[in-house]
Amino acid sequence: MNDPETSGESYTYAKAGVSIAAGNALVTAIGPLAKSTARPGADASLGGFGGFFDLKAAGYKDPLLVAANDGVGTKLKLAIDHDRHDGVGIDLVAMCVNDLIVQGAEPLFFLDYFACAKLENGVAERVIAGIADGCRQAGCALIGGETAEMPGMYAPGDYDLAGFCVGAVERGEALTGAKVKAGDLILGLASSGVHSNGFSLVRRLAADKGWKLERPALFDLEQILLDALIEPTRIYVKSLLPVVRSGRIAALAHITGGGLLENIPRVLPEGLHAQVEADAWPQPRLMAFLQAQGNIEPGEMARTFNCGIGMAVVVASEQASRVSAALVEAGETVFTIGRIEPGTKGCTVSGSAETWSARAPWAATHHG
């Protein structure tokens, strides 16, 4: 081996595994994607040291800014292992913007962080195209981001994502949960699947049970199992924002990590308890499959997965039918899943959750 001190070998960044040219090419390629997310307040151009947003141009008078950040978690491993990179960008945006709308905030702009061992522009472009898609769905602008090529930090082919979103709500209009009272009803908005939580358990089941992910799902022979698992997280912003601004919603809870049991209590005042009836909505066949395959206790299901409900909406009983109709008109599938009662702050999921698997005899069948 040549000793660079004696051989005169010249080192470059590329020799260390980082391609500045590839990074520049990626920025050029994703410029039109960012531009497609332009909205009032941001032209969504890329390339500067920071992204600008004009709150006045967005129509705000006395806004509070609300910020959220999140990732996609180990769902990325399914995407990486099976070359399914197109939807995880939507997941990234969804996990942030859904957390903003529950505060009553409109998502305004988004920034992403993409880190990998070696930049493969084909993969990165597919991921960022998904991010742009998610931003369009949420009505926010992709105004910047960071791409980090770090050989030795990540295994070849692996990458990680982080997303950052800022929203705004006029002063006095934020949702804090303070208006929630006993007797309020809980509406549940249907999820699009597993969303982006619980995938460490999903992947463990897939490995231990020997699932053939590219085969039709036992619970839906017209759908590939991998497609069912990797379906992007639903973005609820555009359907919820008009109803939030109407003042008819008392609180919202995004059902993410911790499931129904831990997320609904986050928006409850002390002295109030959420009673959720598991029989109030049809248990998704995918969820019943997961429960049966892992022999998962109902309480563990309600704490790990969304169980088919991606967003909980707390409304006064007299407003429930009007809010439900507005959300259905906006494209949501809505169920009345429970009510708020006096009691210790928390959530109980009751009903016949114990029989979910029993109602699905195909769910326990081997999927190898």
Side-chain angles (χ1 to χ4, degrees):
M1 180 179 295
N2 291 334
D3 182 349
E5 291 186 2
T6 58
S7 67
E9 179 182 2
S10 177
Y11 279 83
T12 65
Y13 212 4
K15 189 176 183 64
V18 179
S19 172
I20 295 174
N24 291 338
L26 177 62
V27 170
T28 299
I30 65 178
L33 295 173
K35 197 71 175 177
S36 72
T37 69
R39 53 151 293 154
D43 65 6
S45 61
L46 295 178
F49 287 95
F52 286 92
F53 192 92
D54 185 344
L55 280 168
K56 187 175 293 186
Y60 284 90
K61 298 176 181 178
D62 185 20
L64 298 174
L65 295 181
V66 187
N69 73 295
D70 213 329
V72 180
T74 58
K75 187 176 187 177
L76 285 180
K77 285 298 293 179
L78 281 180
I80 292 166
D81 292 347
H82 298 275
D83 193 30
R84 298 294 189 92
H85 310 286
D86 303 276
V88 292
I90 299 175
D91 287 301
L92 184 68
V93 175
M95 297 305 288
C96 296
V97 299
N98 286 342
D99 279 354
L100 292 183
I101 191 62
V102 301
Q103 308 293 311
E106 176 192 16
L108 299 178
F109 59 87
F110 190 88
L111 300 98
D112 69 277
Y113 176 77
F114 180 99
C116 60
K118 179 176 176 57
L119 190 59
E120 300 176 28
N121 281 357
V123 171
E125 288 175 30
R126 290 165 65 187
V127 172
I128 296 171
I131 293 172
D133 188 358
C135 286
R136 290 190 296 271
Q137 290 184 37
C140 63
L142 176 60
I143 66 170
E146 172 70 9
T147 301
E149 195 173 28
M150 297 188 288
M153 182 68 74
Y154 294 94
D158 279 354
Y159 61 84
D160 199 9
L161 295 174
F164 309 85
C165 195
V166 172
V169 57
E170 293 288 1
R171 192 179 304 274
E173 297 180 8
L175 291 179
T176 64
K179 295 181 180 179
V180 177
K181 61 186 186 303
D184 286 352
L185 297 181
I186 307 170
L187 307 179
L189 307 188
S191 67
S192 57
V194 185
H195 284 185
S196 297
N197 298 102
F199 273 90
S200 292
L201 177 53
V202 170
R203 292 173 51 250
R204 176 64 181 268
L205 283 172
D208 288 355
K209 302 296 181 178
W211 294 350
K212 304 299 183 184
L213 296 179
E214 300 291 350
R215 291 184 180 178
L218 292 175
F219 50 85
D220 182 357
L221 295 179
E222 295 184 358
Q223 185 176 36
I224 298 300
L225 178 57
L226 178 62
D227 292 340
L229 293 173
I230 211 165
E231 180 71 23
T233 304
R234 186 166 181 81
I235 293 175
Y236 299 96
V237 172
K238 288 188 176 179
S239 59
L240 281 171
L241 191 58
V243 191
V244 167
R245 287 176 168 169
S246 74
R248 297 197 297 268
I249 289 178
L252 293 169
H254 184 199
I255 309 306
T256 57
L260 294 160
L261 287 177
E262 295 187 6
N263 283 290
I264 296 179
R266 295 171 65 180
V267 301
L268 299 182
E270 292 296 334
L272 293 180
H273 190 90
Q275 182 67 47
V276 175
E277 298 295 333
D279 287 336
W281 72 96
Q283 173 71 357
R285 294 162 70 87
L286 169 59
M287 296 294 170
F289 169 76
L290 293 173
Q291 184 181 25
Q293 289 279 300
N295 192 28
I296 303 171
E297 294 294 329
E300 184 70 12
M301 284 293 297
R303 183 174 283 108
T304 304
F305 298 110
N306 63 54
C307 297
I309 301 297
M311 184 74 71
V313 184
V314 182
V315 296
S317 58
E318 63 270 19
Q319 295 285 354
S321 60
R322 189 176 179 185
V323 169
S324 179
L327 291 171
V328 169
E329 177 71 19
E332 300 296 343
T333 301
V334 185
F335 309 98
T336 301
I337 65 172
R339 67 172 47 248
I340 305 300
E341 300 176 348
T344 303
K345 181 177 178 179
C347 178
T348 301
V349 179
S350 59
S352 59
E354 295 82 356
T355 68
W356 282 340
S357 296
R359 296 202 298 260
W362 40 262
T365 306
H366 180 60
H367 208 291

